[in-house]
Amino acid sequence: MADSKTQAGANYGFHFDQSACTGCAACQVACNDKFDLPIGVNFRRIVEYSGGTWQRDDHNHTVVPQVFTYYTSISCNHCENPICVQVCPTTAMTKREDGTVYVDDSKCVGCRYCEWACPYSAPQFNASTGHMSKCDLCYDYRSEGQDPACVAACPSRALDWGPIDELREKYGTENGIAPLPDPKTTQPHLVITPHRDAQAWDRATGTIANPKEM
């Protein structure tokens, strides 16, 4: 299946099935292991979003709670309009012909402008190298016809990848689910199959239960 996805000129992205995610973090562990990331640097993160509202039942004169919790696996979305590329003063943050964004270590000075600008916190500073680092959608694996590490590791098959147009045709176009930001900002190459209790990005009905992950 991976071979059919490695197309010249394709704009790659991710699909995430929020309804299938159990928050096990296997995708995060696989990514950290593959890139041998130091503690504190996580290209892929699992965010738990919890909250609730109250529904008034005038007929029974009661107020019923509607609480929810769901997980979101998030990494770089290789956006159509990557702000990280725009703010980089050395052109180290670069977009490949296949639409994926990566860091050119030979140009990066570790100024962290990209980190501060990205609404998804994708670029992260690696203190051991003094450079920024981020998900490149496992460019080396893809070049060999393999799936990205996170996709291959997910036991519930909540992750998929491929040309974003094909993902949207297959899964839809939703990408604005809380706690993620307004997708209009960067136009992420991301499609989400929402959890049954998924909240829109601008509803502010919940809070991030593990804020350090975000």
Side-chain angles (χ1 to χ4, degrees):
M1 184 173 66
D3 288 340
S4 64
K5 296 179 180 180
T6 53
Q7 305 171 9
N11 284 312
Y12 291 118
F14 284 110
H15 165 253
F16 171 60
D17 187 347
Q18 203 169 54
S19 65
C21 182
T22 63
C24 72
C27 56
Q28 178 176 324
V29 172
C31 177
N32 289 1
D33 182 63
K34 192 263 182 182
F35 288 99
D36 194 22
L37 299 178
I39 294 176
V41 176
N42 296 297
F43 292 172
R44 182 167 285 280
R45 288 144 286 136
I46 307 299
V47 183
E48 181 181 352
Y49 192 65
S50 304
T53 57
W54 297 87
Q55 183 175 2
R56 181 174 175 177
D57 186 343
D58 292 328
H59 179 72
N60 294 313
H61 303 289
T62 59
V63 178
V64 180
Q66 294 180 321
V67 296
F68 62 84
T69 293
Y70 57 83
Y71 300 97
T72 300
S73 176
I74 189 70
S75 70
C76 176
N77 295 306
H78 305 284
C79 303
E80 188 69 29
N81 181 36
I83 292 179
C84 59
V85 173
Q86 297 176 24
V87 303
C88 179
T90 66
T91 70
M93 198 63 67
T94 307
K95 196 171 186 179
R96 287 192 173 95
E97 291 183 0
D98 65 7
T100 58
V101 180
Y102 75 103
V103 183
D104 185 339
D105 281 340
S106 67
K107 297 180 180 179
C108 183
V109 296
C111 69
R112 305 180 79 158
Y113 286 0
C114 57
E115 177 185 4
W116 300 329
C118 176
Y120 298 96
S121 301
Q124 299 189 18
F125 182 70
N126 188 329
S128 63
T129 64
H131 295 161
M132 302 308 299
S133 58
K134 63 180 291 297
C135 159
D136 65 355
L137 219 156
C138 286
Y139 181 74
D140 53 348
Y141 280 11
R142 292 187 286 115
S143 299
E144 298 172 356
Q146 301 180 53
D147 288 328
C150 59
V151 175
C154 179
S156 58
R157 298 296 179 259
L159 286 169
D160 195 7
W161 73 283
I164 189 61
D165 289 342
E166 293 183 12
L167 294 178
R168 288 168 178 160
E169 182 178 354
K170 183 176 181 180
Y171 299 110
T173 59
E174 182 61 75
N175 57 7
I177 300 298
L180 303 183
D182 184 355
K184 294 180 181 178
T185 303
T186 63
Q187 300 175 53
H189 285 180
L190 173 68
V191 175
I192 299 174
T193 297
H195 186 273
R196 67 186 180 206
D197 296 321
Q199 308 291 300
W201 72 269
D202 57 351
R203 286 194 62 189
T205 51
T207 58
I208 296 174
N210 54 341
K212 290 184 179 181
E213 291 294 327
M214 201 63 179

